[in-house]
């Protein structure tokens, strides 16, 4: 009898059920009135008295084991439909989730906004389809200025064109609000240029301006020095060269000490040690007057920079076209902060 108990036990261990019918069949085979285990219980009376205690115990264990196994398989079948299939194998390595990366232009735009927001600049916005007044006339462009020429501007109809710079947002803000104004206007701009490694028909700019009483050129210089150091590193130097823009007087272009060679001279700075990053100046009183801001009471500075240019310098990117080709091999190299 002990042998028979062992046999049934190993049968129980090996059994697995694909379906409820199979499981029920197994139950009947073992535990029904005429089942294998019930049979053993019937035969128990023939066991020698001195073995009764030991065999009785084993028999009870067998019955319990059979019942346990049946319960377990029943539970599994209810969960998965098949006792062999386990729902999830938690030991398997996870599937890789490809999260996207931010576009380098977005990364740098955010960085610029962060830097200026720390000194009180907030954001302003304006339309990309702009009228002549906001893009040119209010900004003091003379009637026959070459920037109005068909070559540089995508005209739409009549008075409308795609904005050629974000300086138009200055006008929109100043027309609607009185100083103090300290704003940053990032956005896309368009120019009718042949596409090459160094020029594109659309790109991004950030315009900044500060209008208040007693704003001076020294404020402009200090603000831009702060920006250059935050953007390109503490050791960065700036240099302002006189320039001309219709909407600022005086006007300047700002260079930073070359962030690649540290000013020693390399092919990025064309061995001059300096690279140009933005245009700036004191807002021309005529522009303030055009926007109904009292130019006797208020002064202000403004600056405008190309985000692509800053990004190219920061990451040593040599071709402007990479920004709009959406090549995943290029884009995947950038991680947002
Ligand atoms: N709008 C100029 C451009 O598109 C950039 C610029 C220069 C903006 C001087 C300014 C400025 O606000 O003061 O090239």
């Amino acid at each position: 009898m002990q042998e028979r108990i062992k046999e049934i036990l190993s049968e129980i261990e090996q059994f697995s059920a694909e379906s409820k019918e199979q499981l029920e069949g197994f139950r009947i085979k073992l535990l029904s009135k005429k089942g294998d285990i019930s049979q053993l219980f019937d035969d128990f009376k023939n066991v020698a008295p001195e073995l009764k205690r030991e065999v009785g115990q084993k028999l009870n264990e067998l019955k319990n084991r059979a019942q346990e196994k049946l319960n377990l398989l029943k539970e599994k079948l209810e969960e998965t439909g098949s006792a062999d299939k386990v729902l999830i194998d938690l030991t398997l390595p996870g599937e890789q989730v490809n999260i996207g990366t931010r576009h380098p232009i977005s990364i740098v735009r955010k960085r610029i906004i962060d830097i200026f927001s720390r000194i009180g600049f907030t954001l302003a916005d304006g339309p990309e389809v702009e009228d002549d007044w906001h893009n040119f006339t209010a900004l003091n462009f003379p009637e026959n200025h070459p920037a109005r020429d068909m070559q540089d501007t995508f005209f739409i109809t009549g008075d409308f064109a795609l904005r050629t710079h974000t300086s138009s947002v200055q006008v929109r803000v100043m027309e609607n609000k009185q100083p103090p104004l300290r704003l940053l206007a990032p956005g896309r701009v368009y120019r009718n240029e042949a596409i090459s490694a160094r020029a594109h028909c659309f790109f991004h700019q950030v315009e900044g301006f500060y209008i208040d009483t007693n704003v001076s050129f020294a404020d402009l210089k200090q603000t831009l020095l702060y920006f250059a150091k935050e953007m390109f590193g503490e050791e960065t130097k700036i240099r302002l060269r006189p320039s001309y823009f219709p909407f600022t007087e005086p006007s300047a272009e700002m260079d930073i000490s070359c962030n690649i060679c540290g000013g020693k001279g390399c092919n990025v700075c064309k061995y001059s040690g300096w690279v140009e990053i933005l245009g700036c100046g004191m807002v021309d009183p005529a522009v303030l007057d055009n926007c109904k801001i009292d130019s006797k009471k208020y002064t202000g500075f403004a600056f405008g920079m190309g985000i692509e240019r800053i990004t190219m310098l920061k990451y040593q990117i040599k071709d402007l076209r990479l920004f709009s080709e959406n090549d995943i091999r290029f884009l995947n190299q950038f991680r947002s902060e």
Side-chain angles (χ1 to χ4, degrees), residues 164-165 167 170 191 205 207-208 245 247-248 279-281 302-304:
T164 58
H165 54 183
S167 302
Q170 270 189 48
R191 287 187 197 174
Q205 285 188 334
E207 183 82 12
F245 299 101
F247 37 89
T248 43
C280 59
F303 55 87

Side-chain angles (χ1 to χ4, degrees), residues 229-260:
K229 283 173 181 273
E230 291 292 315
M231 192 71 196
F232 292 101
E234 185 55 35
E235 64 293 342
T236 310
K237 296 189 181 63
I238 61 167
R239 162 174 105 167
L240 289 155
R241 283 179 290 102
S243 184
Y244 173 77
F245 299 101
F247 37 89
T248 43
E249 181 56 38
S251 305
E253 276 169 312
M254 186 175 95
D255 300 338
I256 56 163
S257 51
C258 179
N259 64 316
I260 309 298

Side-chain angles (χ1 to χ4, degrees), residues 30 50 58 68 72 95 105 113 127 164 220 239 310 324:
L30 295 180
E50 65 277 18
K58 286 202 172 138
E68 264 172 35
L72 188 79
E95 266 176 46
I105 295 295
I113 294 171
T164 58
L220 169 63
R239 162 174 105 167
I310 308 271
S324 46

Side-chain angles (χ1 to χ4, degrees), residues 163-188:
R163 69 178 175 195
T164 58
H165 54 183
T166 43
S167 302
S168 54
V169 184
Q170 270 189 48
V171 181
R172 293 207 166 256
V173 173
M174 290 195 290
E175 280 177 338
N176 291 306
K177 284 192 195 122
Q178 285 295 308
L181 299 169
R182 189 157 39 185
L183 287 137
L184 210 58
R188 186 172 280 189

Side-chain angles (χ1 to χ4, degrees), residues 121-321:
F121 282 76
T122 51
L123 291 181
D125 205 0
E128 289 179 23
V129 175
E130 193 51 284
D131 55 32
D132 180 273
W133 169 255
H134 293 94
N135 197 78
F136 295 125
T137 305
L139 288 165
N140 211 24
F141 279 79
E143 194 72 52
N144 299 313
H145 194 276
R148 294 187 188 216
D149 199 292
M150 294 291 284
Q151 273 184 7
D152 292 316
T153 308
F154 286 116
F155 289 101
I156 299 177
T157 50
D159 207 26
F160 292 99
L162 294 177
R163 69 178 175 195
T164 58
H165 54 183
T166 43
S167 302
S168 54
V169 184
Q170 270 189 48
V171 181
R172 293 207 166 256
V173 173
M174 290 195 290
E175 280 177 338
N176 291 306
K177 284 192 195 122
Q178 285 295 308
L181 299 169
R182 189 157 39 185
L183 287 137
L184 210 58
R188 186 172 280 189
V189 301
Y190 301 84
R191 287 187 197 174
N192 193 358
E193 298 208 35
I195 295 170
S196 72
R198 317 190 83 234
H200 212 292
C201 58
F202 70 82
F203 55 100
H204 300 81
Q205 285 188 334
V206 176
E207 183 82 12
F209 57 99
Y210 176 33
I211 321 283
D212 203 346
T213 50
N214 296 319
V215 178
S216 72
F217 201 91
D219 296 322
L220 169 63
K221 201 172 160 187
Q222 199 58 37
T223 304
L224 294 179
L225 177 63
Y226 157 77
F227 167 71
K229 283 173 181 273
E230 291 292 315
M231 192 71 196
F232 292 101
E234 185 55 35
E235 64 293 342
T236 310
K237 296 189 181 63
I238 61 167
R239 162 174 105 167
L240 289 155
R241 283 179 290 102
S243 184
Y244 173 77
F245 299 101
F247 37 89
T248 43
E249 181 56 38
S251 305
E253 276 169 312
M254 186 175 95
D255 300 338
I256 56 163
S257 51
C258 179
N259 64 316
I260 309 298
C261 63
K264 286 192 198 74
C266 67
N267 62 355
V268 171
C269 62
K270 301 201 188 71
Y271 299 93
S272 70
W274 298 94
V275 282
E276 187 203 315
I277 63 161
L278 55 81
C280 59
M282 300 305 292
V283 178
D284 194 306
V287 175
L288 296 177
D289 291 338
N290 284 340
C291 302
K292 310 266 176 319
I293 287 178
D294 185 351
S295 62
K296 301 220 164 41
K297 188 169 169 199
Y298 296 109
T299 51
F301 66 68
F303 55 87
M305 64 185 103
I307 305 182
E308 276 80 353
R309 174 135 189 89
I310 308 271
T311 310
M312 288 170 95
L313 283 171
K314 208 166 161 53
Y315 294 108
Q316 298 180 46
I317 297 162
K318 298 226 158 56
D319 193 325
L320 197 56
R321 290 168 291 198

